[in-house]
Amino acid sequence: MRERTNQISEFLKEQGIDLAVVTSKANVFYFSGVYAEPHERVMAVLVDVTGKHVLFCPALEASIVAASPWEGDVVTYEDHENPFDRLAELFATFEHSNNRIGIEGEHMTFSRYQELSSRLENAAILDIGASLQGLRLKKTPDEIAILQEAAQLADEAIKIGKQAIRPGITEIEVIAEIEYEMKKKGVREMSFDTLVLFGANSADPHGVPGDRVIQEGDFVLFDLGVVWKGYCSDITRTFVYGEANEEQKKIYETVRQALEAATEASQIGTTLGSLDKAARDVITEAGYGQYFTHRVGHGLGIEVHEFPSLASNNLLTAEAGIVYTLEPGIYVPGVGGVRIEDDIHLTAEGPVALTRTPKHLQSIPSS
């Protein structure tokens, strides 16, 4: 953890900022090793330009902190205390010659910003959130090992979901079976609300599962992931219940080829936006361009959607060590949708898919 907080200190030196106040759950975990959910309470890692670092947290999280890798100072507060009064006292112990404070702008609410600024007279409060996310971009071997475990669990969840499909079952019932079995494997939470969508419902990329009953010829779309040791996985696979018709086969094969193209384009030195183009070109050429309505992927790690975005306008150059999803899709209203998604680790030798569930079109027997 000291190496990670030192990265913050180096960034502060470069920018002439005295102190960083790190408050998001993901970054608190990354820079302290403390995985906790403070809910409405304030929890923060404070790091200054000299390397001094303190964990500020509610007293009720003390036992979690004690069991974590954090080795720095810890300052706690009780529920009856105003955390910003305690923070103001703590700020005075840090370097503040430039009176410039860095915060996570996307995470800090306006009311908390007001509380903070009212206690830091004449201080310049700057948003350093994007830079902190950038420090998490390249994953260490230990992080990759955990992400691989999370991906394996996601593969298992797809298998469980596929096996759960039977006549008369609903989307929400399949989700219940998947998440129950994941709990039995030690998974405390999913990366996001599990998606199981049948038939025409699968034509909505972010559809809401409900009580739709499986029907012969339906596309069956699974989009899910798990949180494992603080890191997320994210996988999508699409099957057909019964026999696929010719249009379904064409849509599926187009998406599969788009994923293959984006994966092959995943090379060190290329721009991340070119991965979107590689997939989109395949889908457009097949005549389905208007039905691919989202970016091709996103960064993956502590958060299921994290920096960088793999949108077409991203000119960031791909480097070894980054992890991201590739998830092209085609969504035809009234027909259904297909999305196929892998978690990709870009290595010096090229892309490695952490998710291993087969990607060829598979039918689920309807009887």
Side-chain angles (χ1 to χ4, degrees), residues 19 21 46 86-96 116 120:
L19 175 68
V21 183
L46 285 76
R86 296 297 309 277
L87 275 173
E89 297 170 1
L90 189 55
F91 287 150
T93 69
F94 284 92
E95 169 62 35
H96 53 274
L116 186 66
L120 299 175

Side-chain angles (χ1 to χ4, degrees), residues 116-130:
L116 186 66
S117 60
S118 69
R119 291 165 173 81
L120 299 175
E121 187 175 357
N122 299 320
I125 301 179
L126 311 171
D127 182 8
I128 61 171

Side-chain angles (χ1 to χ4, degrees), residues 10 14-15 43 46 51 97 105 118 133 138 160 163 172 182 192 200 223 251 283 302 321 351 365:
E10 289 302 313
E14 294 170 2
Q15 300 299 316
M43 189 166 183
L46 285 76
S97 58
S118 69
Q133 287 191 42
K138 297 175 70 172
I160 291 165
Q163 292 173 341
I172 203 73
M182 285 291 101
F192 51 92
D223 188 356
I251 291 171
I283 292 173
I302 295 172

Side-chain angles (χ1 to χ4, degrees), residues 145-222:
I146 296 172
L147 285 163
Q148 178 65 78
E149 292 173 358
Q152 182 178 346
L153 285 163
D155 283 327
E156 292 180 27
I158 292 289
K159 182 179 179 181
I160 291 165
K162 183 184 175 186
Q163 292 173 341
I165 300 296
R166 57 185 179 272
I169 199 164
T170 66
E171 295 164 332
I172 203 73
E173 287 172 336
V174 176
I175 292 172
E177 294 197 27
I178 292 171
E179 296 192 355
Y180 174 65
E181 293 299 325
M182 285 291 101
K183 285 283 192 287
K184 288 164 64 176
K185 293 179 181 294
V187 173
R188 293 174 55 191
E189 60 181 308
M190 306 301 284
S191 301
F192 51 92
D193 289 343
T194 301
L195 284 185
V196 175
L197 301 170
F198 298 159
N201 287 354
S202 62
D204 184 348
H206 282 173
V208 179
D211 58 3
R212 189 187 194 282
V213 176
I214 191 75
Q215 298 176 24
E216 176 78 25
D218 277 352
F219 275 133
V220 180
L221 187 150
F222 297 93

Side-chain angles (χ1 to χ4, degrees), residues 11-64:
F11 165 75
L12 296 177
K13 288 179 186 176
E14 294 170 2
Q15 300 299 316
I17 301 172
D18 300 311
L19 175 68
V21 183
V22 181
T23 53
S24 68
K25 179 180 176 181
N27 276 334
V28 166
F29 173 57
Y30 184 77
F31 291 108
S32 74
V34 178
Y35 191 78
E37 176 51 75
H39 300 290
E40 76 281 5
R41 298 175 178 88
V42 177
M43 189 166 183
V45 175
L46 285 76
V47 183
D48 76 5
V49 71
T50 72
K52 179 178 178 178
H53 53 288
V54 173
L55 180 64
F56 180 77
C57 69
L60 58 80
E61 307 292 352
S63 60
I64 294 176

